[in-house]
Amino acid sequence: MIFDVYSYSNRGGRPYNEDSVGTRIEGDNGIFVVADGLGGHSHGEVASACVCDTLLERVPDPEGDVTDWFRERIAQANQSVLALQKEKGTVLKSTVVALSILGNRAVWAHAGDSRLYYIRGGRLTAYTEDHSVAYKKYKAGEITRRQIAFDEDQPRLLRSVGGQDHNEPAVRVYEELLSPGDAFMLCSDGVWEFLEEEEIVIDLLKSETARQWAEYLLLRMMERVNGENDNLTMLTLVLR
């Protein structure tokens, strides 16, 4: 499997970019990460970089239990962020979404509201479920899925990295084998709140590369941001 991958990060309408994004590829195996330092906390960029760096230290062992690997690495990242909090005397937290591809197998994990979308055969096949109050309201039927982005409770997260509790990730092992043409997008909330999910699929279908896919999505977003928008970070990946 060949990884066609592209990442983009921009401070958007904020003074600083508190997001981090990264990739590590070793042969047919790879790990891909997006982390979002939480708004309202000091040094969010330090927290997100810590989380990203911890996950990218090495690719999971294809023969090992990747679910346990994700839980252990994110637990280690949580301890590192807690140590940084003590060092700096302030609260640092981050969301995280991470994807591991080992040969033709995929496993992903997340904590918070940074998202993963998986597209196969021209259809949105799987996605992460936000750990947020707004997403709980959607699941309860109080708001629509699209209204999550505009709900007053969207910033209220139920899980994140950098806390004594509520820091455990949700991990999913995708049961089917991956195929060439399968595609993933990982992004912070500053991206998905400006995009319809069908647009993500449409722009993939008219793209020849992962970079072109991201550029089509960014063109849509640039027409919708208001200059005060959050940091924009995305990673697009197409398997060849």
Side-chain angles (χ1 to χ4, degrees):
M1 204 81 74
I2 297 173
F3 300 111
D4 175 10
V5 60
Y6 177 75
S7 60
Y8 175 87
S9 190
N10 186 285
R11 66 183 177 87
R14 301 292 171 84
Y16 305 102
N17 188 352
E18 297 185 307
D19 292 352
S20 295
V21 58
T23 296
R24 182 167 188 150
I25 296 172
E26 297 176 0
D28 292 332
N29 307 317
I31 178 84
F32 311 87
V33 184
V34 168
D36 178 358
L38 298 187
H41 295 294
S42 300
H43 307 296
E45 69 278 9
V46 177
S48 66
C50 178
V51 172
C52 201
D53 291 346
T54 301
L55 283 163
L56 293 173
E57 283 181 3
R58 63 178 183 269
V59 172
D61 180 357
E63 303 302 321
D65 187 322
V66 185
T67 297
D68 284 348
W69 184 90
F70 266 126
R71 288 176 177 151
E72 290 167 3
R73 298 306 290 177
I74 292 175
Q76 180 177 335
N78 190 73
Q79 290 303 310
S80 296
V81 173
L82 287 173
L84 285 168
Q85 291 182 15
K86 183 178 292 188
E87 174 188 322
K88 295 184 178 296
T90 189
V91 176
L92 296 81
K93 292 189 177 183
S94 178
T95 71
V96 65
V97 59
L99 165 68
S100 173
I101 295 181
L102 304 173
N104 54 8
R105 294 286 188 180
V107 182
W108 56 81
H110 79 291
D113 63 351
S114 291
R115 290 184 179 180
L116 173 147
Y117 298 91
Y118 172 40
I119 299 165
R120 181 173 199 171
R123 297 179 61 185
L124 181 58
T125 301
Y127 49 79
T128 52
E129 298 190 350
D130 306 340
H131 297 133
S132 70
V133 173
Y135 201 89
K136 287 284 189 184
K137 291 165 73 172
Y138 155 66
K139 295 292 283 187
E142 297 177 25
I143 59 176
T144 67
R145 184 169 172 81
R146 183 61 190 135
Q147 287 173 329
I148 295 171
F150 314 107
D151 190 81
E152 61 184 2
D153 290 320
Q154 192 268 325
R156 295 177 59 194
L157 299 185
L158 302 175
R159 297 191 205 182
S160 61
V161 181
Q164 295 291 347
D165 50 18
H166 306 297
N167 52 52
E168 65 282 358
V171 184
R172 177 169 178 180
V173 178
Y174 191 69
E175 298 297 336
E176 297 184 32
L177 297 179
L178 302 176
S179 301
D182 288 0
F184 297 85
M185 184 178 80
L186 285 67
C187 64
S188 61
D189 63 333
V191 169
W192 61 253
E193 66 182 4
F194 290 107
L195 294 172
E196 302 285 349
E197 291 177 350
E198 58 267 26
E199 293 173 338
I200 297 172
V201 178
I202 290 168
D203 286 348
L204 169 65
L205 294 176
K206 65 185 185 183
S207 301
E208 296 183 358
T209 66
R211 177 170 184 153
Q212 188 176 49
W213 180 21
E215 288 173 345
Y216 279 134
L217 293 171
L218 288 166
L219 283 172
R220 291 185 186 274
M221 294 166 56
M222 290 305 106
E223 296 177 351
R224 300 167 183 173
V225 297
N226 59 11
E228 299 179 356
N229 55 292
D230 201 354
N231 307 147
L232 309 172
T233 300
M234 69 167 69
L235 184 152
T236 50
L237 169 65
V238 182
L239 303 180
R240 306 295 187 190

